[in-house]
């Protein structure tokens, strides 16, 4: 063994002498503390100290037969650390590994891809015919000044999915995370949730404003019957087309986020909501019902101006303001999603086949023919998705398809509204407004809470603190056996290195730096006071 192990043994003997109760074997306690010391070592791979020396070189001999740091650390990860005990290592699934890799590299991947596309568009003029469809709206009609739709719009959607991914990760990491700390948010999970809600607030503030501008300046503002005039309107103005494609890209990106981040209790309700929303936007776009999509999106988005604000206030500790905002949120939710939304749904049912004659049409804006009966029972339903200038129909089954999808969204919002009422009842009884979804998230979300972790060292040594990964626990054990005080030839101790590295992150670990604290932990304080 190396010099440091010898020094550690001396400290272990001194500590174990204090820890030894009547009838206990000092050698057993010493052996268990040595095992704890091994668990406190950092991983040897690529982690260097200030002098450029691998920590493993001064923690263990290269020929040591004892377990290496990598073997010990591999037995613990964030998936196997339970608040009450250290469970055996559970290997994460391949999907979880890939998802985590995407989360860790989403900024770099997005920015690199966008940079590559932009440089290709600028530096290679021959490719602009293909790259232009990514950066600009396609199918412009100079005679009308409007835009038709087609397959090239998919490139625009993909482009904005990448943009939203980059914006979300960048803003959350470099703007909203520091803001959450400035606002006084302490817990790691709450900081992450603060960032998520603040990002949604930013997004909806921008796109709800744009959507309302489009609707207020349209002919169907407060006259829902006008949404159905001139069906099928094969062309639309540039702002409405961009708005619809960008909203569709956002919801596609939300589906991806839902599956790469940790699931919550209402994961499948959220997944169903996102899928139905994306399908409604996609179908309304292909069926030239962008005006209806604009109305529904504005109705749904206005609620998300109040809810993220209330959540951010909650995480920041402004409970009174949170309760006030939550009250406004309830009023807006009920008015928008259960009153105005049902009025819009009724318009789809009552006005869609009375304002314009039902039937099938064919051709572009300059050569439209129809209406005429559907040529078949099912095939005409899918032609708008395969041929933008082909056959498009508005019949009873199509109308009921849209109505049922809207009613399905209404059922989901009723489920969530029941959860909101539970929160409201709790507030009226003297509690505080809180999101029931966040309270019931998976147990893996609780790793940053104040927990009591038991480490079987001799007479069960209890360490209480904020442990967000096993590295924090290792740092605590290293300090308790006295490793932090060891410093040979200017090398920085591993516990100090780990604590300094974590201080730049999102959580702080437990710290026991004095013998008195150690003795208090193991129940020997009365002995020393005598």
């Amino acid at each position: 063994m190396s010099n440091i192990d010898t020094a550690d043994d001396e400290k272990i003997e001194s500590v174990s002498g204090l820890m030894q109760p009547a009838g206990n074997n000092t050698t057993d306690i010493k052996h268990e503390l040595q095992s704890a010391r091994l668990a406190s070592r950092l991983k040897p791979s690529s982690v260097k100290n200030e002098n450029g020396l691998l920590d493993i070189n001064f923690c263990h001999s290269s020929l040591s037969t004892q377990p290496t740091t990598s073997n010990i650390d591999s037995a613990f990860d964030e998936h196997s650390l339970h608040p009450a005990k250290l469970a055996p290592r559970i290997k994460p699934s391949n999907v979880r590994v890939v998802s985590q890799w995407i989360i860790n590299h989403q900024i770099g991947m997005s920015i690199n891809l966008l940079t590559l596309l932009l440089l290709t568009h600028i530096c290679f003029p021959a490719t602009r015919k293909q790259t232009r469809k990514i950066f600009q709206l396609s199918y412009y009609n100079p005679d009308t000044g409007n835009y038709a739709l087609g397959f090239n719009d998919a490139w625009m959607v993909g482009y904005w999915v990448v943009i939203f991914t980059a914006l979300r990760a960048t803003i959350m990491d470099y703007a909203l995370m520091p803001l959450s700390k400035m606002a006084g948010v302490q817990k790691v999970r709450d900081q992450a949730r603060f960032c998520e809600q603040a990002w949604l607030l930013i997004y909806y503030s921008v796109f709800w404003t744009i959507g309302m501008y489009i609707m207020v300046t349209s002919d169907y503002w407060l006259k829902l019957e006008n949404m159905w005039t001139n069906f099928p309107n094969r062309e639309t103005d540039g702002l409405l087309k961009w708005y619809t494609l960008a909203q569709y890209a956002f919801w596609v990106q939300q589906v991806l986020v839902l599956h790469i981040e940790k699931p919550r209790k209402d994961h499948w309700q959220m997944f169903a909501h996102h899928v139905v929303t994306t399908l409604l936007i996609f179908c309304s776009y292909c069926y030239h019902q962008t005006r209806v999509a604009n109305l529904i999106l504005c109705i749904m988005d206005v609620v998300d101006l109040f809810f993220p604000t209330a959540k951010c206030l909650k995480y920041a500790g402004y409970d009174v303001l949170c309760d006030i905002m939550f009250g406004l949120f309830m009023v807006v939710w009920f008015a928008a999603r259960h009153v105005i939304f049902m009025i819009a749904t009724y318009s789809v049912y009552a006005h869609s086949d009375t304002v314009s004659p039902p039937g099938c049409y064919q051709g572009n804006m300059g050569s439209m023919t129809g209406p005429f009966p559907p040529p078949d029972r099912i095939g005409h339903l899918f032609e708008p998705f395969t041929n933008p200038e082909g056959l498009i129909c508005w019949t009873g089954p199509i109308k009921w398809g849209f109505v049922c999808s809207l009613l399905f969204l209404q059922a989901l919002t009723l489920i969530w509204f029941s959860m909101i009422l539970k929160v409201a009842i709790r507030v009226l009884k003297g509690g505080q407004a809180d999101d029931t979804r966040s309270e019931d998230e998976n147990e893996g979300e609780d790793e940053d809470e104040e927990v009591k972790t038991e480490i079987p060292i001799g007479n069960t040594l209890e360490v209480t603190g904020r442990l967000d990964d096993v590295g924090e626990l290792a740092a605590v054990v290293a300090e308790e056996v006295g490793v932090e005080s060891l410093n040979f030839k200017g090398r920085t101790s591993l516990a100090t290195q780990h604590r300094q590295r974590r201080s730049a992150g999102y959580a702080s670990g437990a710290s026991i730096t004095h013998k008195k604290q150690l003795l208090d932990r193991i129940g020997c304080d009365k002995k020393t006071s005598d």
Side-chain angles (χ1 to χ4, degrees):
M1 300 292 290
S2 59
N3 292 336
I4 184 170
D5 289 332
T6 303
D8 280 351
D9 292 340
E10 295 175 359
K11 289 186 172 288
I12 290 168
E13 291 175 356
S14 62
V15 174
S16 61
L18 292 172
M19 293 174 58
Q20 181 182 12
N24 272 12
N25 192 332
T26 305
T27 305
D28 293 338
I29 299 175
K30 173 182 175 181
H31 175 72
E32 290 170 351
L33 284 175
Q34 287 175 324
S35 300
R37 183 192 64 214
L38 292 176
S40 69
R41 307 306 192 192
L42 290 176
K43 293 183 179 180
S45 56
S46 71
V47 180
K48 298 185 177 182
N49 62 15
E50 296 176 344
N51 300 318
L53 297 176
L54 290 174
D55 289 332
I56 189 66
N57 290 337
F58 94 92
C59 293
H60 301 288
S61 170
S62 59
L63 300 178
S64 174
T65 60
Q66 298 191 31
T68 63
T69 306
S70 59
N71 297 140
I72 296 172
D73 288 342
S74 64
F76 307 98
D77 57 21
E78 62 180 359
H79 302 286
S80 63
L81 180 61
H82 192 277
K85 62 181 179 180
L86 295 177
R89 181 178 186 271
I90 301 177
K91 183 179 180 180
S93 64
N94 293 334
V95 175
R96 184 72 255 173
V97 172
V98 172
S99 299
Q100 189 60 46
W101 187 89
I102 293 175
I103 293 174
N104 294 339
H105 298 85
Q106 56 185 322
I107 297 178
M109 289 191 301
S110 302
I111 293 178
N112 287 336
L113 179 58
L114 294 174
T115 303
L116 177 62
L117 292 173
L118 183 60
L119 291 177
T120 302
H121 181 76
I122 294 174
C123 300
F124 300 96
T127 65
R128 291 177 185 174
K129 184 178 179 180
Q130 301 299 325
T131 57
R132 186 177 291 112
K133 67 184 71 171
I134 300 175
F135 302 104
Q136 300 177 5
L137 294 174
S138 303
Y139 307 108
Y140 177 70
N141 186 348
D143 296 332
T144 61
N146 293 325
Y147 293 84
L149 61 87
F151 296 110
N152 287 343
D153 295 335
W155 294 102
M156 174 67 72
V157 172
Y159 171 67
W160 277 96
V161 168
V162 177
I163 287 182
F164 283 133
T165 301
L167 284 176
R168 181 180 185 271
T170 303
I171 292 176
M172 285 177 60
D173 287 353
Y174 297 102
L176 298 179
M177 183 58 72
L179 180 62
S180 69
K181 296 178 181 180
M182 292 174 58
V185 184
Q186 299 295 329
K187 297 180 181 179
V188 178
R189 184 185 64 185
D190 289 351
Q191 290 174 355
R193 296 291 177 257
F194 179 94
C195 294
E196 291 173 1
Q197 298 300 324
W199 158 250
L200 292 177
L201 178 60
I202 293 172
Y203 172 82
Y204 288 117
S205 298
V206 174
F207 276 83
W208 181 79
T209 303
I210 296 174
M212 285 301 299
Y213 171 79
I214 294 173
M215 189 162 59
V216 169
T217 57
S218 69
D219 60 347
Y220 54 89
W221 171 244
L222 302 181
K223 297 179 180 179
L224 300 185
E225 297 87 348
N226 291 340
M227 292 191 301
W228 310 102
T229 58
N230 301 324
F231 177 84
N233 192 349
R234 296 281 196 181
E235 296 179 353
T236 184
D237 64 273
L239 181 59
L240 179 57
K241 176 174 181 174
W242 173 83
Y243 169 81
T244 307
L245 293 178
Q247 284 271 38
Y248 181 65
F250 173 78
W251 284 104
V252 170
Q253 196 260 348
Q254 284 293 97
V255 173
L256 298 177
V257 168
L258 196 65
H259 281 80
I260 66 175
E261 294 187 346
K262 291 183 179 180
R264 302 187 185 183
K265 182 180 178 181
D266 63 346
H267 171 83
W268 292 112
Q269 293 97 317
M270 291 293 293
F271 176 71
H273 172 270
H274 291 358
V275 169
V276 172
T277 302
T278 52
L279 287 177
L280 277 173
I281 297 174
F282 177 71
C283 293
S284 63
Y285 186 74
C286 293
Y287 269 86
H288 306 286
Q289 300 291 359
T290 51
R291 291 173 287 189
V292 183
N294 174 217
L295 172 63
I296 298 298
L297 287 171
C298 287
I299 291 173
M300 302 296 283
D301 290 353
V302 65
V303 174
D304 292 308
L305 297 176
F306 295 89
F307 184 68
T309 303
K311 290 285 288 182
C312 290
L313 291 172
K314 174 65 178 179
Y315 293 135
Y318 298 99
D319 293 332
V320 176
L321 292 178
C322 171
D323 293 344
I324 295 174
M325 188 60 63
F326 184 78
L328 294 176
F329 159 73
M330 286 190 60
V331 173
V332 173
W333 177 292
F334 181 80
R337 295 193 174 184
H338 298 297
V339 178
I340 302 177
F341 183 90
M342 292 306 299
I343 293 175
T345 304
Y346 175 79
S347 179
V348 177
Y349 165 77
H351 302 149
S352 61
D353 53 2
T354 57
V355 176
S356 294
C360 297
Y361 301 81
Q362 193 166 15
N364 54 33
M365 287 299 294
S367 58
M368 186 73 64
T369 59
F372 49 83
D376 51 42
R377 295 184 61 182
I378 297 177
H380 67 279
L381 301 176
F382 303 98
E383 189 160 349
F385 306 112
T386 59
N387 186 2
E389 294 185 356
L391 189 69
I392 182 171
C393 303
W394 188 262
T395 59
I398 296 175
K399 179 187 76 174
W400 278 107
F402 279 92
V403 170
C404 290
S405 297
L406 293 173
L407 291 177
F408 181 78
L409 279 181
Q410 180 64 199
L412 287 177
T413 55
L414 284 173
I415 294 174
W416 284 322
F417 191 64
S418 65
M419 298 180 182
I420 294 171
L421 291 178
K422 293 179 181 178
V423 178
I425 293 173
R426 184 166 67 241
V427 172
L428 293 177
K429 290 181 177 180
Q432 296 177 350
D434 202 359
D435 185 9
T436 56
R437 285 180 18 179
S438 296
E439 290 177 350
D440 297 322
E441 289 168 354
N442 291 345
E443 291 181 359
E445 296 288 338
D446 297 330
E447 53 211 40
D448 63 316
E449 296 288 345
E450 193 79 15
V451 298
K452 181 177 181 179
T453 304
E454 298 183 356
I455 314 169
I457 303 177
N459 297 333
T460 304
L461 175 65
E462 298 178 349
V463 180
T464 304
R466 294 192 176 192
L467 306 177
D468 70 328
D469 59 23
V470 87
E472 297 288 352
L473 181 57
V476 174
V477 177
E479 289 177 310
E480 293 194 354
V481 298
V483 175
E484 185 180 26
S485 62
L486 302 176
N487 191 1
F488 296 95
K489 299 181 181 179
R491 296 171 178 170
T492 306
S493 69
L494 61 92
T496 305
Q497 287 180 354
H498 188 77
R499 186 170 63 253
Q500 289 173 346
R501 183 173 70 255
R502 296 298 298 175
S503 65
Y506 303 148
S508 59
S511 177
I512 305 175
T513 57
H514 298 89
K515 179 187 290 188
K516 176 81 165 58
Q517 292 175 299
L518 174 57
L519 299 178
D520 290 344
R521 293 289 189 190
I522 62 179
C524 298
D525 53 326
K526 294 182 179 180
K527 294 181 180 181
T528 58
S529 62
D530 294 338

